[in-house]
C-alpha cells in the first residue's frame, strides 16, 4: 500500500532505475530516532518484442547470460543482503543476477549505516550485536508483505540471507539464535575472528573492557588503512562509486563499546554455533593486510585473515561449505569481473539447491 508518509512508502533509490528503498522505523535509543532502510530490486517487466526482431534476440541473449527470470513453482524465494562495517548496499550486479535467476532481491542498510545514518548519530555504533535482531525482524516482516503483494502468492517466502564481513558475523549469530527462519546462509568474507588469533582477541578484550565500561563511545586512534578502499573505489584503482559519507576512505572511528561487542561475537563463534541452515562461505585465496596500496592488493583480501576464517567457518553448523576465489578482494562481489561472475553463478546454484 502506498501512503503519503515517506517513512513508510517505497521511493526511488540512489542506485537508479530498478531500485527502490523505504525506511523501517525502530525503537529509539539514547541518540534519538533510529531507522533501518530496506532496498529492493524491482525492475520493470521486459516489454514484449517481436519474435523475429532484434528486441527478441537481445532478450534471449540477456537471459542466457544472466539466468532465467521465470520464478519456480512453490513459495516465493527471497534473498536478503546484509552489508559490512562502514559500508552500505551497492552491489547492483548481484541484485540483477539473482533477480534474473528467480529470486526476489532485498538488501538492508542497518541502523546508523548508509541510508539509515541520521544526523547526530555515531556512525555504525552499537554496544551489542544482538540489537540488529530488531533490524532483521523488521526487514523480514516487510519483505514478506511486499513479496505477497507483488506476486499474489500468500505462501510464506523462503528466505536466504547473504551477508558480508561484519554483516556475516551479525547474520551468523542471528541465525544461531533463530533456527528454522532461513533456507540458507551465504557469507561473503565474514569477519569471524580478529585478525591474528584468539590469543590476540583475548588480549584486546582485556585492554578494551575498561574503556567499554566507563566511556563506550571513546574512539581509539589507529593508523589509517585506506588500501582496501583504494582497491574498490572508482576514485582510485577500483570500479565502484563509494559514497564518501557512508563509506569513507578511512572507515568510521573504532569505538570501545563497539569493539567489545565485536570481540564478544568472535568469542561466540570460537565456542561454535549450531546454525541449522546450510552455510556457504566465500573467501579470497589469500590475505595481504598493509597500509600502503600496491597492485598486489587487487588480488587479495586486505581486511580479514582468510585462513583463520576458513577454520572458524567449519564451526558454524553441521552443513558448511567453503568456496575459495584466488585473486578476489575482501568483497568477492566487488572483485574483478571474471571472479565476481563466477561467485554469482555459485551463489545462485547454491540457493537453488535448497528450495525447501
Amino acid at each position: 500500500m502506498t501512503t503519503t508518509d515517506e517513512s513508510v512508502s517505497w521511493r526511488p533509490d540512489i542506485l537508479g532505475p530498478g531500485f527502490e528503498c523505504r525506511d523501517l522505523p525502530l525503537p529509539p535509543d539514547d541518540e534519538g530516532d533510529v531507522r533501518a532502510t530496506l532496498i529492493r530490486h524491482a525492475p520493470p517487466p521486459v516489454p514484449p518484442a517481436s519474435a523475429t526482431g532484434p528486441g527478441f534476440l537481445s532478450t534471449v541473449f540477456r537471459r542466457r547470460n544472466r539466468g532465467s527470470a521465470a520464478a519456480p513453482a512453490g513459495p516465493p524465494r527471497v534473498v536478503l543482503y546484509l552489508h559490512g562495517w562502514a559500508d552500505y548496499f551497492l552491489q547492483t550486479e548481484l541484485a540483477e543476477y539473482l533477480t534474473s535467476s528467480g529470486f526476489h532481491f532485498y538488501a538492508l542498510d542497518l541502523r546508523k549505516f548508509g541510508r539509515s545514518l541520521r544526523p547526530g548519530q555515531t556512525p555504525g555504533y552499537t554496544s551489542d550485536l544482538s540489537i540488529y535482531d530488531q533490524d532483521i525482524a523488521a526487514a523480514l516482516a516487510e519483505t514478506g508483505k511486499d513479496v505477497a503483494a507483488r506476486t499474489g502468492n500468500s505462501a510464506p517466502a523462503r528466505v536466504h540471507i547473504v551477508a558480508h564481513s561484519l554483516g556475516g558475523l551479525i547474520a551468523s549469530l542471528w541465525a544461531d539464535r533463530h533456527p528454522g527462519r532461513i533456507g540458507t546462509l551465504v557469507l561473503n568474507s565474514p569477519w569471524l575472528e580478529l585478525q591474528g588469533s584468539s590469543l590476540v582477541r583475548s588480549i584486546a578484550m582485556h585492554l578494551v573492557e575498561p574503556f567499554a565500561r566507563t566511556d563506550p563511545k571513546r574512539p581509539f586512534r589507529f593508523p589509517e588503512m585506506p588500501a582496501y578502499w583504494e582497491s574498490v573505489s572508482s576514485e582510485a584503482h577500483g570500479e565502484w562509486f563509494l559514497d564518501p559519507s557512508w563509506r569513507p576512505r578511512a572507515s568510521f572511528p573504532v569505538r570501545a563499546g563497539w569493539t567489545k561487542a565485536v570481540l564478544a561475537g568472535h568469542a561466540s563463534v570460537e565456542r561454535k554455533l549450531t546454525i541449522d541452515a546450510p552455510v556457504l562461505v566465500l573467501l579470497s585465496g589469500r590475505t595481504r593486510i598493509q597500509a600502503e596500496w600496491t597492485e598486489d592488493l587487487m588480488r587479495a583480501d586486505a581486511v580479514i585473515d582468510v585462513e583463520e576464517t576458513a577454520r572458524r567457518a567449519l564451526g558454524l553448523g553441521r552443513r558448511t561449505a567453503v568456496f575459495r576465489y584466488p585473486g578476489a578482494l575482501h568483497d568477492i562481489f566487488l572483485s574483478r569481473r571474471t571472479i565476481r561472475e563466477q561467485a554469482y553463478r555459485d551463489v545462485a546454484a547454491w540457493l537453488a539447491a535448497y528450495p525447501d
Side-chain angles (χ1 to χ4, degrees), residues 126-133 166 169-170 173 177 261-262 265:
T126 183
S127 60
D128 185 350
L129 297 184
S130 68
I131 194 67
Y132 297 119
D133 286 16
L166 175 64
L169 176 62
I170 292 168
L173 298 172
R177 291 192 297 268
V262 170

Side-chain angles (χ1 to χ4, degrees), residues 275-290:
I275 299 172
D276 61 348
V279 181
L280 173 62
V281 178
L282 316 178
L283 294 172
S284 178
R286 63 191 178 94
T287 293
R288 182 161 186 143
I289 300 175
Q290 60 189 54

Side-chain angles (χ1 to χ4, degrees), residues 82-113:
L82 302 183
H83 58 81
W85 167 247
D87 204 355
Y88 65 101
F89 173 67
L90 57 91
Q91 289 76 358
T92 53
E93 285 185 3
L94 174 67
E96 291 165 354
Y97 191 94
L98 292 182
T99 298
S100 70
S101 300
F103 297 90
H104 299 276
F105 187 94
Y106 296 84
L108 181 63
D109 276 11
L110 298 165
R111 66 182 68 203
K112 303 185 183 183
F113 287 99

